[in-house]
Amino acid sequence: MNLLALETATDQGSVALWRDGLLLARECPAGEQSSLTLLPLVQTLVAEAGLTLADLDGIAFGAGPGAFTGLRVACGVAQGLAVALDIPVLPVVTLEALALADGHDQVAVYLDARMGEVYCGAYRRQGDGLEALGALCVTPPEAAPVPQEAGWHACGNGPAAYPALAERLMAQAIPLGPERVPTAAAVAQLAAPRLARGEGLDPALAAPLYVRDKVAFTVAERLAQGGKA
């Protein structure tokens, strides 16, 4: 089974290829727009594996939450390729990919949402997968949900971006993992068993998972924070 995975929810985009349990992954060039580098990187990675796009059985993508433009890039490329190849797509929640990469049994995930907020999610290992505990949310760091019992770990780039959140986690003795962002490798690891179970979607049904509907501050909000109009 050959599965391509795309992840552009943050400034660090990546692609990965799952080939019968073997995983190849590459990062998009730093400082360049994923919209310009993603497809060339896909073509390079597929060629390195000795495959062609026609050999793919499915395409997974980081659906969100994350940067609005980045989410649209991954979703759009996945849809375009999947339609052309007549194969299914598999949306994967970016926070779930972060929790998988962290590797612990109970993980609270905090991803910097910019605009003074964080995306939050909580996951518990369940068999060979992860179970989401509650709904995803976006909130100011001082209001972000923090586990109150032992046995939890925290991951993502949210605590590093917002010291107040890091302090709240440390006050509960919750270990902070390394600052990390979602990767295509983790997306592929989550999507591969789903594709094997026949859970892929028609490309027309794929959509980004935004969680919030506000893209940027208004002029009045920027001025109130001491910025420029």
Side-chain angles (χ1 to χ4, degrees):
M1 185 180 71
N2 301 316
L3 171 71
L4 177 68
L6 313 173
E7 172 50 60
T8 57
T10 67
D11 291 338
Q12 183 54 69
S14 58
V15 302
L17 182 65
W18 175 282
R19 186 180 185 187
D20 294 329
L22 298 177
L23 190 61
L24 299 175
R26 298 288 184 273
E27 291 186 349
C28 295
E32 299 185 36
Q33 295 181 354
S34 297
S35 58
L36 301 178
T37 62
L38 195 64
L39 273 174
L41 192 57
V42 165
Q43 293 167 336
T44 298
L45 184 61
V46 170
E48 285 180 3
L51 303 174
T52 68
L53 291 176
D55 294 315
L56 297 176
D57 299 300
I59 302 178
F61 68 97
F68 282 32
T69 299
L71 298 183
R72 290 194 291 269
V73 168
C75 182
V77 171
Q79 283 182 305
L81 289 174
V83 168
L85 299 169
D86 192 24
I87 55 178
V89 297
L90 297 103
V92 172
V93 177
T94 53
L95 301 190
E96 185 180 0
L98 274 169
L100 180 76
D102 181 79
H104 290 94
D105 289 340
Q106 295 186 130
V107 185
V109 184
Y110 304 95
L111 182 65
D112 184 9
R114 308 289 176 86
M115 299 172 62
E117 294 182 320
V118 289
Y119 295 115
C120 310
Y123 294 88
R124 177 178 293 140
R125 189 166 297 279
Q126 188 77 21
D128 59 355
L130 294 171
E131 175 191 9
L133 305 178
L136 304 179
C137 67
V138 59
T139 178
E142 59 270 17
V146 171
Q148 300 298 303
E149 64 269 17
W152 284 84
H153 286 72
C155 77
N157 62 1
Y162 301 103
L165 173 58
E167 291 173 4
R168 294 180 60 217
L169 291 165
M170 289 187 289
Q172 291 295 325
I174 296 174
L176 302 181
E179 183 180 352
R180 66 171 79 240
V181 295
T183 65
V187 170
Q189 288 175 281
L190 287 167
R194 299 172 188 175
L195 179 60
R197 294 193 295 265
E199 297 176 6
L201 300 178
D202 184 304
L205 300 177
L209 175 63
Y210 293 122
V211 177
R212 74 175 177 199
D213 56 9
K214 185 170 185 177
V215 179
F217 287 123
T218 64
V219 171
E221 288 170 332
R222 290 199 299 273
L223 289 173
Q225 296 176 11
K228 297 180 180 179

